[in-house]
Amino acid sequence: MPNLPFTQVDAFADAPFTGNPAAVMPLDAWLDDATLQSIAAENNLSETAFTIATPDDPQADYALRWFTPTVEVQLCGHATLASGHVLIGDRKAIRFRTRHAGILTVTREGEGYALSLPAWDMAPRALPDLAAGLGGQPIESHWRDGGYSLFLFPDAAAVRALTPDFAALKTLGDTMLIATAPGDDSDIVSRVFVPGGGVDEDPVTGSAHGLLTPFWAKRLGKTAISAVQASARGGRLGCTLSGDRVILTGACRTVIEGSFFL
């Protein structure tokens, strides 16, 4: 019976029981996709990160893939941060090769880490079906191909008060829905929902801030932004727009270490 190392990490967590839990599972070689998906479903966290060392790759130290309980995703920030936390060792930085988001780098930053992600722009688009399922009264909606939607609300209270219709949203595909507004105790506030991808509400979403950072940098007229994701667990992120990259900063906490028996 194969014995796979397993670490559960709370990413973007500045206190116990906050941030977003991710499983990090280093492998010697890729298992078949169905098995990876089944492991992620068994873990039942928003994401499970699988890695393999790539000593012959001059650009990356590891290959990295991410799975929710139901689908493989193109980009996951918090599980990348968690993977860096688990694997960085004595290094200053660690590089991951991904299938859809290129090379992602995690660097030590004080007591935490900095994660470099691609900065993704969005375009205005009417999204009435998604907006209806999300609830509330968004004042703008935006879209990026690949299944990313953003809804702007007038204030943080409106974002915090949302009660989405998850059953309805699940019928509309695995789109990520990002609800955002100016913050009350930070520059911006957000909540993120991916019911079609097996995650009704994501606690803290690094990939969403790869979209939120350029969106808000233009509106706020500054490149360094403080962000709060207002889920039940909650999390804080530092967000900096640097050219075509977004740098996210946050802390990680290891909460479980063990073995997965396959």
Side-chain angles (χ1 to χ4, degrees), residues 23-163:
V24 180
M25 300 185 68
L27 305 172
D28 294 328
W30 292 120
L31 304 171
D32 65 86
D33 288 4
T35 299
L36 295 177
Q37 187 64 75
S38 294
I39 292 171
E42 183 78 10
N43 290 339
N44 199 32
L45 299 171
S46 55
E47 261 87 14
T48 294
F50 298 99
T51 69
I52 59 170
T54 54
D56 297 327
D57 187 336
Q59 294 183 305
D61 305 295
Y62 289 87
L64 172 63
R65 296 171 68 183
W66 316 271
F67 289 76
T68 78
T70 61
V71 297
E72 184 173 8
V73 298
Q74 296 185 21
L75 176 62
C76 177
H78 87 279
T80 304
L81 199 76
S83 298
H85 171 72
V86 170
L87 297 170
I88 197 168
D90 295 330
R91 288 170 282 203
K92 172 65 176 175
I94 187 169
R95 302 162 301 166
F96 297 99
R97 181 175 294 281
T98 69
R99 294 187 168 192
H100 302 286
I103 303 295
L104 305 180
T105 303
V106 176
T107 306
R108 293 188 183 277
E109 181 85 10
E111 297 298 313
Y113 305 93
L115 168 63
S116 173
L117 299 175
W120 284 352
D121 289 323
M122 308 190 81
R125 181 183 294 185
L127 301 167
D129 292 342
L130 291 173
L134 183 61
Q137 296 293 325
I139 56 178
E140 294 179 20
S141 58
H142 298 255
W143 176 259
R144 180 181 175 87
D145 288 346
Y148 299 93
S149 60
L150 184 150
F151 300 87
L152 177 64
F153 287 85
D155 52 46
V159 171
R160 295 178 188 276
L162 290 172
T163 55

